[in-house]
Each structure stands twice: as structure tokens, then as C-alpha cells.
Amino acid sequence: MQIEERKSEVLEYLKYERDERIPELVEIYNGDVEYVINEIWGPLVTILDGKTDNDLIDIVNSIMDKDTYEDEFNEFKLYMDEDDVTALDCNLVWEMITNP
């Protein structure tokens, strides 16, 4: 899979996290936004909150265009013992966003 296709998959994942994950959790917890943010989601909600699609593209590009990304990806792949490239990319980028 080419890097541009991989970036596209990661972008879709981040859009899901931004647009759907929190509302789903709020619905599960009967509309208690404060509980979801404070007890379940924590500070992660602020990472994507208010980001536009272009912001997300910039985030993905800044991470996946680094010269070291493929090396980090391969190391992460060994650590995770996973072969699904899309899942690995999404998880690695998420880790890099939440733990810079």
C-alpha cells in the first residue's frame, strides 16, 4: 500500500475519532458529556476538538512524512505483533498525537 493511501486511511480514522467517537460515548452514558470527558476520554478529547479536516491532514502529513516514520512504523509493528498496516498506522499516529 502506498504512503498516500495509508495517509488517507489514517485521516478517515482521525475524522471518526473527532466526529463520532465522543458522541457515541456520550450517548452510551445517557448524555453525560462531563463524565465522558473527565472519566473515560480524559484530555484526549482536546487533541482533535475543533480541528478542521485541513488541520487533520496537516497532522497526518507532519507525522507520516517524517524521514523516520517508516523506521518507527516497523519498530511499532514488531512491538504490536500485528500485520494490518492500516491498524498499525492509525494506532501509531494516534500514539504520536497523544504522546508527542
Side-chain angles (χ1 to χ4, degrees), residues 1-18 48 56-57 59-61 63-64 69 73 85-95 97:
M1 186 180 324
Q2 298 293 332
I3 192 71
E4 292 305 317
E5 185 178 346
R6 291 168 58 191
K7 286 182 188 178
S8 177
E9 294 291 330
V10 172
L11 179 61
E12 289 306 310
Y13 169 74
L14 292 178
K15 286 180 183 179
Y16 167 77
E17 289 293 334
R18 179 195 64 192
L48 298 179
L56 295 181
I57 291 168
I59 290 168
V60 170
N61 286 337
I63 292 171
M64 295 182 76
Y69 182 77
F73 174 86
V85 172
T86 300
L88 287 165
D89 277 329
C90 291
N91 288 327
L92 179 57
V93 169
W94 185 250
E95 282 297 315
I97 292 170

Side-chain angles (χ1 to χ4, degrees), residues 17-100:
E17 289 293 334
R18 179 195 64 192
D19 300 336
E20 298 176 36
R21 175 77 61 150
I22 301 285
E24 284 178 3
L25 288 171
V26 169
E27 186 176 318
I28 290 169
Y29 288 93
N30 299 316
D32 191 343
V33 175
E34 191 170 316
Y35 177 80
V36 169
I37 291 170
N38 293 333
E39 301 297 327
I40 297 173
W41 202 245
L44 301 180
V45 71
T46 61
I47 291 168
L48 298 179
D49 192 35
K51 301 286 191 227
T52 66
D53 287 357
N54 284 336
D55 293 334
L56 295 181
I57 291 168
D58 290 343
I59 290 168
V60 170
N61 286 337
S62 72
I63 292 171
M64 295 182 76
D65 285 345
K66 289 190 320 187
D67 292 338
T68 59
Y69 182 77
E70 283 302 319
D71 291 335
E72 293 175 63
F73 174 86
N74 289 328
E75 185 178 315
F76 189 69
K77 180 179 179 179
L78 288 173
Y79 174 75
M80 296 299 289
D81 193 28
E82 171 71 56
D83 290 325
D84 183 338
V85 172
T86 300
L88 287 165
D89 277 329
C90 291
N91 288 327
L92 179 57
V93 169
W94 185 250
E95 282 297 315
M96 292 176 160
I97 292 170
T98 59
N99 300 304

